[in-house]
Amino acid sequence: MKKDIHPKYMPCKVICVTSGKQIEVLSTKPELKIDISSFCHPFYTGSDKIADTTGRVERFRKKYQKS
């Protein structure tokens, strides 16, 4: 490996501004602020809801229902 061409890695504090949670990773920057993380994203928290205003989900289930 060549000397002095690679960036210096340091501990980096990653802060989720939505939930306020913090984690520590290695990065070239000392601090990162992110809008959404696995702490508050609906897919990871289980609060994901199907928004169905026109009945498409029900029509799909009815059409492909096993007899």
Side-chain angles (χ1 to χ4, degrees):
M1 228 171 34
K2 292 183 181 179
K3 292 184 178 186
D4 300 326
I5 64 167
H6 298 286
K8 302 291 182 193
Y9 284 98
M10 62 185 86
C12 171
K13 187 185 301 182
V14 180
I15 303 166
C16 176
V17 295
T18 306
S19 65
K21 303 256 183 161
Q22 298 179 8
I23 58 171
E24 193 168 307
V25 296
L26 290 177
S27 178
T28 57
K29 297 183 179 186
E31 184 176 291
L32 293 173
K33 292 186 178 182
I34 57 176
D35 292 329
I36 194 158
S37 67
S38 60
F39 297 115
C40 58
H41 192 278
F43 179 79
Y44 294 104
T45 60
S47 63
D48 195 15
K49 304 284 184 205
I50 297 175
D52 182 29
T53 57
T54 60
R56 287 182 278 167
V57 173
E58 291 304 318
R59 281 187 293 170
F60 178 83
R61 288 181 178 161
K62 185 178 179 182
K63 182 177 181 180
Y64 293 103
Q65 183 179 13
K66 291 186 177 182
S67 300

